[in-house]
Amino acid sequence: MENKCIYGKDIAERLDQRTIEFVEECRSRGRRIPKLVCIAVGNHPASVAYMKGLQKKCDKVKIELETIVLDESIGDFELIRTIHSYNKMISIDGILLQMPLPSHMNREKIVLEIDPSKDVDGLHPLNTGLFYQGQPTFVPCTALSAMEFIHAVDLSLDGKEVVVVGRSNVIGKPVAQLCLNEHASVTVVHSKSLNIERICSHADVLIAAAGVPKMIKKNWLKKGAVVIDVGINYDEDGKMCGDVDFDDVIDQVSRISPVPKGVGVVTNSMLMRNLIFAYQRRG
């Protein structure tokens, strides 16, 4: 079973090492260090936990991080004013806005206010448009991370059938486009799709990003399929699990990314790569 698992630790270490080497080169040349600001609204436990993990990652790779936690009661104007202040700062290369925002805020309106050149999460419509036109730009980190798992097993997607389960703007749609960029034949299925099991059973590679715990079973999969599980869920016992029923499918797959210890381990490492891209583009 273990030799079928694609773990995130080695992938993250490789990405982190490249970031560390870049930062060391900046220091050796007397240049400033890339800097990220993370803005959260309210003290939601998930946001607090995420920012602690982000700080740990930044400390490891020697990236500068500033965290801002605004009161949950503020309105759109106050948050936009904060974003604008960081848009103007030459020392800030990337702006990360913690999601979800409180329900009274207009997410779409606020995202538009982030300087696209600092949009390291790849949320701004300008960056989305550039991405789908095949131009160099920011791509959501989780989608990029999922692709790293395919690359980790030296799998060429040329002519392969890829099925993506889920159509979100931050995972499903961008990861489908990334697979198309590598010449795969891609099908995206979702909650309104008919015959999902039959469609999935033809996939050489299945990428699960539906947000439904243990949704995908053995009979959904082609023998020898590669499965990348992006889902982060909790089962009836409160145990973290993916969208794929790992124990049920393990004998059917050739390789699989587990949950936990899979794609989630890599996301912040990929964020650091996006930050360096922002830094380099800004000169």
Side-chain angles (χ1 to χ4, degrees), residues 4-6 149 227-230 246 255-259 262-263:
K4 290 189 175 186
C5 289
I6 318 167
F149 282 74
V227 176
I228 309 301
D229 193 350
V230 186
F246 182 90
R255 303 299 298 273
I256 184 170
S257 67
V259 178
V263 175

Side-chain angles (χ1 to χ4, degrees), residues 140-158:
C141 298
T142 305
L144 286 173
S145 298
M147 296 303 294
E148 287 295 311
F149 282 74
I150 295 173
H151 300 154
V153 295
D154 296 321
L155 176 64
S156 170
L157 293 183
D158 279 15

Side-chain angles (χ1 to χ4, degrees), residues 115-185:
D115 181 344
S117 72
K118 298 185 179 187
D119 172 37
V120 290
D121 235 2
L123 298 177
H124 196 285
L126 177 60
N127 287 323
T128 301
L130 289 171
F131 168 56
Y132 286 111
Q133 289 182 355
Q135 302 299 314
T137 190
F138 300 105
V139 181
C141 298
T142 305
L144 286 173
S145 298
M147 296 303 294
E148 287 295 311
F149 282 74
I150 295 173
H151 300 154
V153 295
D154 296 321
L155 176 64
S156 170
L157 293 183
D158 279 15
K160 295 290 194 304
E161 289 196 46
V162 175
V163 173
V164 178
V165 185
R167 56 177 170 174
S168 73
N169 289 330
V170 294
I171 305 174
K173 290 178 183 177
V175 83
Q177 184 62 46
L178 289 168
C179 290
L180 283 171
N181 292 350
E182 296 191 18
H183 314 298
S185 298

Side-chain angles (χ1 to χ4, degrees), residues 163-167 187 189 196 200 206-210 215-216 220 243:
V163 173
V164 178
V165 185
R167 56 177 170 174
T187 303
V189 297
I196 293 181
C200 290
L206 185 137
I207 302 172
M215 170 186 179
I216 295 164
W220 289 41
D243 291 352

Side-chain angles (χ1 to χ4, degrees), residues 2 33 38 42 55 75 114 120 127 141 158-159 173 175 190 195 204 210 229 237-238 243 256 263 268-269 272 277:
E2 286 296 315
I33 304 304
C38 181
Q55 183 67 67
I114 299 173
V120 290
N127 287 323
C141 298
D158 279 15
K173 290 178 183 177
V175 83
H190 47 79
N195 300 315
D204 300 303
D229 193 350
D237 299 319
D243 291 352
I256 184 170
V263 175
N268 278 343
S269 298
M272 298 298 104
F277 178 58

